[in-house]
Amino acid sequence: MNDAVFACRACDSPEAATLLDMGRLPLANAFVSSQAATEDRLTHDLTLVMCQSCRLIQLRTNVPREQLFSSYVWVTGTSATAKTYAQWFAQRLKQRYGRARGAPFLVEVASNDGFFLQHYREQGFEILGVDPSNLAQEADARGLPSIRDFFGTAVAGRICAQRGRADVIVARNVLGHSSELQDLVKGVKQLLAPQGVFIVEGPYAYFLRADVQYDTIFHEHVSYLTIYSLSKLLERYGMKITEVAFSPMNGGSMLCEIRHAEHSAPRDDHGFIEFEQLIGLNQPEGWQRFANAVKAQRAAFTRILRDCAASGKLVAGYGAAAKCMTMLNYCQVGEDLIPVIGDSNPRKQGLLCPGVRIPVVSPEVLMGRNPEYVMIGAWNFKEEIMRFFREKLAYKHRFIVPLPEPMIVE
Ligand SMILES: [Zn+2]
């Protein structure tokens, strides 16, 4: 891997402007099992840049994808909010693209543990998932047909040959995670039936900038879409955006309906592209304030934690999500400031956070430490987490919400 060589993931251009340099960080999912482990000692450049040509916001450096996704411990369906959302999402697909007779063929790219696949099937779709991690095999074994691989032209070709073309292709939170973005989009173009629909959901860079969500920047998350940059990419491969909507997921996501360029449905992204132009979302200068706000957040957040430590108050973290790992490592917050992090995912309990090496424990063990503050790592689920602590764990003290601006909640 050569840090110096850059090629835009969407258009191959070698020119990019730096938006935010976060230094070298360990991989956000490189949880380790003991202090003697070394996997998380390997750090990688984490610099956000914007392609000078197609304006795609992305990381300057690629970490080989096999290193990133082969044993992914993150599982989609661990929160109540996620469950409600999956139901809503699957019902919406049925209302729009379901049929009175015969099951439409739906392929989900990056189907994770099959959590959404199950909901699509309940709504009458014939399903197939594709995911590069071990979770694909687990889903398949549970009766949710899944292929373990990276989705691209090779897999699309195989599915076309064996099952025919897809009526619906869903890609939730995956375009931004793909280092082979062009091959993925080419694969969709190839697999999608002429009247078919490609649904893309993913974090919208507008919210990254507006809410200083720099914790969503990590090595697995290689690009950060705007309507303009997505539209440019699709145009290159003979597709177009026919509807733009938004969802509350991951701190604000865009939800686009995409069809073949030849389809009769009109393009529907001009208004959004004009809006992005107006607010400088696709201009490097438009990101200066964001870079300053990130540095200010780090200063304010670490000040709160140091004050707590100085006055002998115990701060426990909650939610060992990848995004939290970015923030803790960027802010260099270790065990001295946050001695434990609780997480409801049993796959993470007993492990140490990458880089900062804070132990991950169950919510019950966390409560056993009797913390006086709980720092909410998954702050986008803060309402649900606070309710969980108050109602289920009888927690009586305060919370620290780290973003967009660090604050203490009574
Ligand atoms: Zn580009």
Side-chain angles (χ1 to χ4, degrees), residues 104-147:
F105 180 34
L106 181 152
V107 174
E108 181 170 36
V109 180
S111 48
N112 199 253
D113 65 340
F115 180 69
F116 274 68
L117 285 178
Q118 192 179 315
H119 289 278
Y120 302 142
R121 183 157 67 190
E122 278 167 21
Q123 296 298 330
F125 291 96
E126 202 183 306
I127 52 165
L128 179 65
V130 182
D131 197 283
S133 79
N134 52 317
L135 297 172
Q137 283 150 324
E138 292 176 26
D140 200 64
R142 292 204 320 277
L144 299 162
S146 302
I147 299 172

Side-chain angles (χ1 to χ4, degrees), residues 8 10-11 13 51 53-56 58:
C8 171
C11 77
S13 161
C51 170
S53 174
C54 77
R55 306 287 160 172
L56 179 69
Q58 56 201 294

Side-chain angles (χ1 to χ4, degrees), residues 21-78:
D21 183 350
M22 297 174 72
R24 296 183 69 89
L25 267 64
L27 299 180
N29 280 307
F31 286 83
V32 293
S33 52
S34 78
Q35 290 292 354
T38 55
E39 299 94 297
D40 63 335
R41 293 297 182 227
L42 187 64
T43 58
H44 306 269
D45 167 53
L46 194 60
T47 302
L48 193 68
V49 300
M50 182 186 285
C51 170
Q52 297 280 28
S53 174
C54 77
R55 306 287 160 172
L56 179 69
I57 298 166
Q58 56 201 294
L59 299 185
R60 183 172 62 192
T61 308
N62 247 344
V63 177
R65 63 183 187 177
E66 287 72 17
Q67 206 175 327
L68 293 174
F69 297 109
S70 48
S71 67
Y72 209 36
V73 290
W74 188 77
V75 177
T76 316
T78 48

Side-chain angles (χ1 to χ4, degrees), residues 28-29 31 74 218 318-326 341 343 348 377-378:
N29 280 307
F31 286 83
W74 188 77
F218 48 91
Y318 188 74
K323 53 193 296 162
C324 182
M325 298 306 115
T326 294
I341 292 191
D343 198 288
K348 284 189 176 170

